[in-house]
Amino acid sequence: MSVLQLDRYDIDISPIGSAHLRWLAAQNFAGIAVLTDNNTAQYCLPLLQEQLAPFHPHYITVSAGEKHKTLETCQHIWAQLFEAGAGRNWCMLNLGGGVIGDMGGFCAGTFKRGMDFIQIPTTLLSQVDASVGGKLGIDFYGVKNSIGLFRDPRAVWADARFFETLSARELRSGFAEIIKHALIADAAQWQELQQITDLENIDWSEWVARSVAIKQQIVQEDPHEKGIRKALNFGHTIGHAIESYFLETASPLLHGEAIAAGMICEAWLSAQQLGLSQQELTTITDYFLTIYGHQTIPEDIDDLLLSIMRQDKKNEDARINFSLIPTAGKVAVNQTATAEEIVGSLSYYRKLR
Ligand SMILES: NC(=O)c1ccc[n+]([C@@H]2O[C@H](COP(=O)([O-])OP(=O)(O)OC[C@H]3O[C@@H](n4cnc5c(N)ncnc54)[C@H](O)[C@@H]3O)[C@@H](O)[C@H]2O)c1
């Protein structure tokens, strides 16, 4: 069992079992609600249902997917909580990927001015990223995560058994955040990661624990993203624009697939601006191509990608904000790049085909 003890709550990376349930019972919550989406209700809930039975939980299930991370779904969740007679002294267990964690935490954090919640992340992405750091929210007005709040869960229970039903593509998508954490903060971990070229038979608990430790350390230093927390944005400025573009096409990319392409582009910018060596750039590029292959980014969408980047909520003025890496394992926040440089990085990526 691996437990990261934080100031205010623990992240427990181990199979959920009697110790967890004893802890839950000891909290004396007045009631328990369990939020799932239709997939996690089918694939993940059976692992816990029997153990949860003594708590007589109120189950709430919503439709799976980012397109349901909306105010409308929240209204359904809040209404269900009212129906169940929930109060502020209840606790909600958010059993699902990042969508359920972000939206369930948001609903719990605002219900009657805030009830407790426990994150039980069931995707690799949500175990290493979404469930850590207290960011909660929903999509609104066409903008991802634009309504939300910072609030810590009472605990995070990360159980790698959930990955057994996760598709290989979803697993690979989450792996991009593990690579990112190593690239921004831990050169030795980056060296080790490069031995992994096939995502089967991996001890995920160990990698989740190591990766979460990196994110947690960064978040603890800067919980509200005033400075160093922006380090976690490496690959995301360009990657998020690529993700947004593909979202409107017939073949959307998963978050990690887009971020992998974004990290290649931003590694190229790092070489231009911060002296990341050509050798490191090549190693990083080759590793991402080995795991994620190459995406065809149309030649004529650079202006569109730039306009998406200009709207990024992490920009502080007219400049597009980047977090770049002078070398693997180090990061520099609040960097910027001209439109020409950004287009240059996209050209570099396209030529890798
Ligand atoms: N709060 C944060 O700091 C933070 C960080 C990163 C991402 N996010 C958010 O996380 C979301 C993406 O998370 P995600 O990739 O986990 O998406 P997701 O929650 O949509 O899950 C992906 C898919 O896998 C299914 N699924 C989940 N667990 C499963 C399992 N064990 N077996 C089978 N199917 C399963 C889900 O039903 C869904 O269809 C985005 O909304 C993003 O904004 C938040």
Side-chain angles (χ1 to χ4, degrees), residues 37 39 44 66 69 97-99 102 122-123 125 135 145 162 165:
D37 67 29
N39 292 325
C44 306
E66 185 76 29
K69 194 179 171 186
V99 168
D102 282 13
T122 59
T123 62
L125 182 93
K135 280 189 185 177
N145 301 325
F162 292 126
T165 55

Side-chain angles (χ1 to χ4, degrees), residues 37-40 43-44 63-66 69 95-102 119 121-127 129-137 139 144-145 161-167 170 173-174 177 215 229 236 243 254-255:
D37 67 29
N38 51 287
N39 292 325
T40 60
Y43 299 117
C44 306
S63 302
E66 185 76 29
K69 194 179 171 186
L95 178 66
V99 168
I100 288 297
D102 282 13
Q119 301 295 45
T122 59
T123 62
L124 183 57
L125 182 93
S126 58
Q127 291 201 7
D129 194 358
S131 66
V132 187
K135 280 189 185 177
L136 310 169
D139 306 336
K144 253 188 96 168
N145 301 325
R161 290 176 302 169
F162 292 126
F163 303 155
E164 284 163 23
T165 55
L166 201 58
S167 71
E170 290 285 356
S173 172
E177 299 292 350
K215 175 159 185 184
R229 185 165 179 169
H236 282 60
E243 184 181 12
L254 294 182
H255 179 71

Side-chain angles (χ1 to χ4, degrees), residues 91 98 210 259 333 346:
C91 181
R210 295 171 71 183
I259 294 317
V333 299
L346 290 163

Side-chain angles (χ1 to χ4, degrees), residues 106-241:
F106 172 69
C107 286
T110 50
F111 183 76
K112 298 189 176 174
R113 297 210 178 86
M115 65 188 238
D116 285 333
F117 60 97
I118 293 172
Q119 301 295 45
I120 312 183
T122 59
T123 62
L124 183 57
L125 182 93
S126 58
Q127 291 201 7
V128 295
D129 194 358
S131 66
V132 187
K135 280 189 185 177
L136 310 169
I138 54 161
D139 306 336
F140 186 70
Y141 217 62
V143 185
K144 253 188 96 168
N145 301 325
S146 52
I147 302 291
L149 68 155
F150 285 96
R151 192 179 165 111
D152 287 331
R154 283 296 296 275
V156 178
W157 295 348
D159 183 338
R161 290 176 302 169
F162 292 126
F163 303 155
E164 284 163 23
T165 55
L166 201 58
S167 71
R169 197 176 164 203
E170 290 285 356
L171 201 65
R172 191 180 68 151
S173 172
F175 188 59
E177 299 292 350
I178 293 184
I179 303 173
K180 180 195 76 180
H181 288 161
L183 278 176
I184 60 173
D186 190 332
Q189 203 177 109
W190 162 239
Q191 289 301 330
E192 248 184 273
L193 266 181
Q194 290 171 63
Q195 311 306 313
I196 300 178
T197 51
D198 167 357
L199 299 190
E200 278 177 29
N201 304 319
I202 306 281
D203 180 353
W204 287 115
S205 294
E206 189 197 327
W207 280 104
V208 167
R210 295 171 71 183
S211 199
V212 159
I214 293 176
K215 175 159 185 184
Q216 194 50 48
Q217 195 178 350
I218 292 173
V219 168
Q220 263 183 332
E221 259 179 68
D222 175 25
H224 294 108
E225 206 166 47
K226 305 251 187 284
I228 189 65
R229 185 165 179 169
K230 289 185 196 159
L232 298 165
N233 204 30
F234 173 60
H236 282 60
T237 306
I238 296 178
H240 178 244

